[in-house]
Coordinates of all heavy atoms in Angstrom, one line a residue:
Chain A
A1355 N 110.9 103.2 121.5 CA 110.8 103.9 120.2 C 110.8 105.4 120.4 O 111.4 106.2 119.8 CB 109.7 103.4 119.4
I1358 N 114.1 106.8 121.5 CA 115.1 107.0 120.4 C 114.6 108.1 119.5 O 115.5 108.8 119.0 CB 115.2 105.6 119.7 CG1 115.9 104.6 120.7 CG2 116.0 105.7 118.4 CD1 116.2 103.3 120.1
R1359 N 113.3 108.2 119.3 CA 112.9 109.3 118.4 C 113.2 110.6 119.0 O 113.7 111.5 118.2 CB 111.3 109.2 118.2 CG 110.9 110.0 117.0 CD 109.4 109.9 116.7 NE 109.0 108.5 116.9 CZ 108.2 108.1 117.9 NH1 107.7 108.9 118.8 NH2 107.8 106.8 118.0
G1376 N 121.6 105.2 111.9 CA 122.1 104.2 111.1 C 121.8 104.5 109.6 O 121.6 103.6 108.8
V1439 N 108.1 96.4 102.6 CA 108.5 97.8 102.9 C 109.7 97.8 103.8 O 109.6 98.0 105.0 CB 107.3 98.6 103.5 CG1 107.7 100.0 103.7 CG2 106.1 98.5 102.6
G1440 N 110.9 97.5 103.3 CA 112.1 97.3 104.1 C 112.0 96.0 104.9 O 110.9 95.4 104.9
S1441 N 113.1 95.7 105.5 CA 113.1 94.5 106.4 C 112.1 94.6 107.5 O 111.6 93.6 108.0 CB 114.4 94.2 107.0 OG 115.3 93.7 106.0
Q1442 N 111.9 95.9 107.9 CA 111.0 96.1 109.1 C 109.6 95.5 108.8 O 109.0 94.8 109.7 CB 110.9 97.6 109.4 CG 110.2 97.9 110.7 CD 110.9 97.4 111.9 OE1 112.1 97.5 112.0 NE2 110.2 97.0 113.0
Q1443 N 109.1 95.7 107.6 CA 107.8 95.1 107.4 C 107.8 93.6 107.3 O 106.9 92.9 107.7 CB 107.2 95.6 106.0 CG 105.7 95.3 106.0 CD 105.1 95.4 104.6 OE1 105.7 95.3 103.6 NE2 103.8 95.7 104.6
G1444 N 109.0 93.1 106.9 CA 109.1 91.6 106.9 C 109.0 91.1 108.4 O 108.3 90.1 108.6
L1445 N 109.7 91.8 109.3 CA 109.6 91.4 110.7 C 108.2 91.5 111.2 O 107.7 90.6 111.9 CB 110.5 92.4 111.5 CG 112.0 92.1 111.4 CD1 112.8 93.3 112.1 CD2 112.3 90.8 112.1
D1446 N 107.5 92.6 110.8 CA 106.2 92.8 111.3 C 105.2 91.7 110.8 O 104.4 91.1 111.5 CB 105.6 94.2 110.8 CG 104.2 94.5 111.3 OD1 104.1 94.7 112.6 OD2 103.3 94.4 110.6
Y1466 N 118.6 93.9 117.5 CA 118.1 95.1 116.8 C 116.9 95.7 117.4 O 115.9 95.0 117.6 CB 117.9 94.7 115.3 CG 117.2 95.7 114.5 CD1 117.6 97.0 114.4 CD2 116.0 95.4 113.8 CE1 116.9 98.0 113.7 CE2 115.3 96.3 113.1 CZ 115.8 97.6 113.0 OH 115.1 98.5 112.3
V1467 N 117.0 97.0 117.7 CA 115.9 97.7 118.5 C 114.5 97.6 117.7 O 113.5 97.5 118.3 CB 116.3 99.1 118.8 CG1 116.6 99.9 117.5 CG2 115.2 99.8 119.6
G1468 N 114.6 97.7 116.4 CA 113.3 97.7 115.6 C 112.6 96.3 115.7 O 111.4 96.2 115.7
A1469 N 113.4 95.2 115.8 CA 112.9 93.9 115.9 C 112.3 93.7 117.3 O 111.2 93.2 117.5 CB 113.9 92.8 115.7
T1472 N 108.9 95.4 117.5 CA 107.9 94.6 116.8 C 107.5 93.4 117.6 O 106.3 93.1 117.8 CB 108.4 94.2 115.4 OG1 108.6 95.4 114.7 CG2 107.3 93.4 114.7
N1520 N 123.8 94.5 114.2 CA 123.3 95.7 114.7 C 122.6 95.4 116.0 O 121.6 94.7 116.1 CB 122.2 96.3 113.7 CG 121.5 97.5 114.2 OD1 121.9 98.1 115.3 ND2 120.6 98.0 113.5
Y1551 N 123.1 93.7 106.1 CA 124.5 94.2 105.9 C 125.4 93.2 105.2 O 126.6 93.4 105.1 CB 125.1 94.6 107.2 CG 124.3 95.5 108.1 CD1 123.5 95.0 109.1 CD2 124.2 96.9 107.8 CE1 122.7 95.9 109.9 CE2 123.4 97.7 108.5 CZ 122.7 97.2 109.6 OH 121.9 98.0 110.3
S1577 N 117.3 93.3 102.3 CA 117.0 94.8 102.1 C 117.9 95.4 101.1 O 119.1 95.1 101.0 CB 117.1 95.5 103.5 OG 116.9 96.9 103.3
S1579 N 118.1 98.7 101.4 CA 118.3 100.0 102.1 C 119.8 100.4 102.3 O 120.1 101.5 102.2 CB 117.6 100.0 103.5 OG 116.2 100.0 103.3
K1580 N 120.6 99.4 102.4 CA 122.0 99.7 102.6 C 122.9 99.4 101.4 O 124.0 100.0 101.3 CB 122.6 98.8 103.8 CG 122.3 99.4 105.2 CD 120.9 99.0 105.6 CE 120.5 99.5 107.0 NZ 119.2 99.1 107.4
P1584 N 117.6 103.5 101.2 CA 116.4 103.2 102.0 C 115.1 103.9 101.5 O 114.1 103.5 101.8 CB 116.8 103.7 103.4 CG 118.0 104.6 103.2 CD 118.6 104.3 101.9
R1587 N 112.3 101.9 100.2 CA 111.7 101.0 101.1 C 111.4 99.6 100.5 O 110.3 99.1 100.5 CB 110.3 101.6 101.7 CG 110.4 103.0 102.2 CD 111.3 103.2 103.4 NE 111.1 102.4 104.5 CZ 112.0 101.6 105.1 NH1 113.2 101.5 104.5 NH2 111.8 101.0 106.1
Y1669 N 128.3 99.5 112.6 CA 128.2 99.8 114.0 C 129.4 99.3 114.9 O 129.9 98.2 114.6 CB 127.0 99.3 114.7 CG 125.7 99.7 113.9 CD1 125.0 98.8 113.1 CD2 125.3 101.0 114.0 CE1 123.9 99.2 112.5 CE2 124.1 101.4 113.3 CZ 123.4 100.5 112.5 OH 122.3 100.9 111.8
Chain B
Y1061 N 116.2 107.4 104.6 CA 115.1 107.1 105.6 C 114.3 108.4 105.9 O 114.9 109.5 105.9 CB 115.6 106.6 106.9 CG 116.1 105.1 106.9 CD1 117.5 104.9 107.0 CD2 115.2 104.1 106.7 CE1 117.9 103.6 106.9 CE2 115.7 102.8 106.7 CZ 117.0 102.5 106.8 OH 117.5 101.2 106.8
G1062 N 113.0 108.3 106.1 CA 112.2 109.4 106.6 C 111.7 109.1 108.0 O 112.2 108.3 108.7
S1063 N 110.6 109.7 108.3 CA 110.0 109.5 109.6 C 108.8 108.6 109.5 O 108.2 108.5 108.4 CB 109.6 110.8 110.3 OG 108.4 111.3 109.6
A1064 N 108.3 108.0 110.6 CA 107.2 107.1 110.5 C 105.9 107.9 110.4 O 104.9 107.5 109.8 CB 107.1 106.3 111.8
Q1065 N 105.9 109.2 110.9 CA 104.7 110.0 110.7 C 104.5 110.5 109.3 O 103.4 110.7 108.8 CB 104.6 111.1 111.7 CG 103.3 111.9 111.6 CD 103.2 112.9 112.7 OE1 104.0 113.1 113.6 NE2 102.0 113.6 112.7
G1066 N 105.6 110.7 108.6 CA 105.6 111.2 107.3 C 106.1 112.6 107.2 O 106.2 113.4 108.2
V1094 N 100.8 103.8 103.8 CA 101.0 103.1 102.5 C 99.6 102.9 102.0 O 99.0 101.8 102.1 CB 101.8 101.8 102.7 CG1 102.0 101.1 101.4 CG2 103.1 102.1 103.4
Q1098 N 96.9 100.7 104.5 CA 97.7 100.7 105.8 C 97.1 101.5 106.9 O 97.2 101.1 108.1 CB 99.1 101.2 105.5 CG 100.0 100.8 106.7 CD 101.3 101.6 106.7 OE1 101.5 102.7 106.2 NE2 102.3 100.9 107.3
L1256 N 99.1 105.8 116.4 CA 99.3 105.4 114.9 C 100.7 105.5 114.5 O 101.3 104.6 113.8 CB 98.4 106.3 114.0 CG 96.9 106.0 114.0 CD1 96.2 107.1 113.2 CD2 96.6 104.6 113.3
V1257 N 101.4 106.5 115.0 CA 102.8 106.7 114.6 C 103.7 105.6 115.2 O 104.5 105.0 114.5 CB 103.3 108.1 115.1 CG1 104.8 108.2 114.9 CG2 102.6 109.2 114.3
L1258 N 103.4 105.2 116.5 CA 104.2 104.1 117.0 C 103.9 102.8 116.3 O 104.8 102.0 116.0 CB 103.8 103.9 118.5 CG 104.4 104.9 119.5 CD1 103.8 104.7 120.9 CD2 105.9 104.8 119.5
A1259 N 102.6 102.6 115.9 CA 102.3 101.4 115.1 C 102.9 101.4 113.8 O 103.4 100.4 113.3 CB 100.8 101.3 115.0
A1260 N 103.0 102.6 113.1 CA 103.6 102.7 111.8 C 105.1 102.4 111.9 O 105.7 101.7 111.0 CB 103.4 104.1 111.2
E1261 N 105.7 102.9 113.0 CA 107.1 102.7 113.2 C 107.4 101.2 113.3 O 108.4 100.6 112.7 CB 107.5 103.4 114.4 CG 109.0 103.7 114.5 CD 109.2 104.9 115.5 OE1 109.0 104.6 116.7 OE2 109.5 106.0 115.0
S1262 N 106.6 100.5 114.1 CA 106.8 99.1 114.2 C 106.5 98.3 112.9 O 107.1 97.3 112.6 CB 105.8 98.6 115.3 OG 105.9 97.2 115.5
A1263 N 105.6 98.8 112.1 CA 105.2 98.1 110.9 C 106.1 98.3 109.8 O 106.3 97.4 109.0 CB 103.8 98.6 110.5
M1264 N 106.8 99.4 109.7 CA 107.7 99.6 108.5 C 108.8 100.7 108.7 O 109.4 101.1 107.8 CB 106.9 100.0 107.3 CG 106.0 101.2 107.6 SD 105.5 102.2 106.2 CE 105.0 103.7 107.1
L1265 N 109.1 101.1 110.0 CA 110.1 102.0 110.3 C 109.8 103.4 109.8 O 109.5 104.3 110.6 CB 111.5 101.5 109.8 CG 112.7 101.9 110.6 CD1 112.6 101.5 112.0 CD2 113.9 101.3 109.9
S1266 N 109.9 103.6 108.5 CA 109.5 104.9 107.9 C 109.0 104.7 106.5 O 109.1 103.7 105.9 CB 110.8 105.7 107.8 OG 111.5 105.4 106.7
H1267 N 108.2 105.7 106.1 CA 107.6 105.7 104.8 C 108.7 106.0 103.7 O 109.7 106.5 104.1 CB 106.5 106.7 104.7 CG 105.5 106.3 103.8 ND1 105.7 106.2 102.4 CD2 104.2 106.0 103.9 CE1 104.6 105.8 101.8 NE2 103.6 105.7 102.7
S1268 N 108.4 105.7 102.5 CA 109.3 106.1 101.4 C 109.4 107.6 101.3 O 108.4 108.2 101.0 CB 108.8 105.5 100.1 OG 109.5 106.1 99.0

Side-chain angles (χ1 to χ4, degrees):
Chain A
I1358 292 182
R1359 195 175 323 109
V1439 182
S1441 285
Q1442 187 69 33
Q1443 195 194 27
L1445 284 169
D1446 183 71
Y1466 168 54
V1467 60
T1472 297
N1520 178 4
Y1551 310 100
S1577 171
S1579 291
K1580 280 82 182 182
R1587 309 304 298 123
Y1669 308 109
Chain B
Y1061 286 110
S1063 76
Q1065 182 171 4
V1094 182
Q1098 194 194 27
L1256 285 171
V1257 171
L1258 283 175
E1261 204 159 70
S1262 177
M1264 55 156 197
L1265 211 55
S1266 81
H1267 208 297
S1268 166

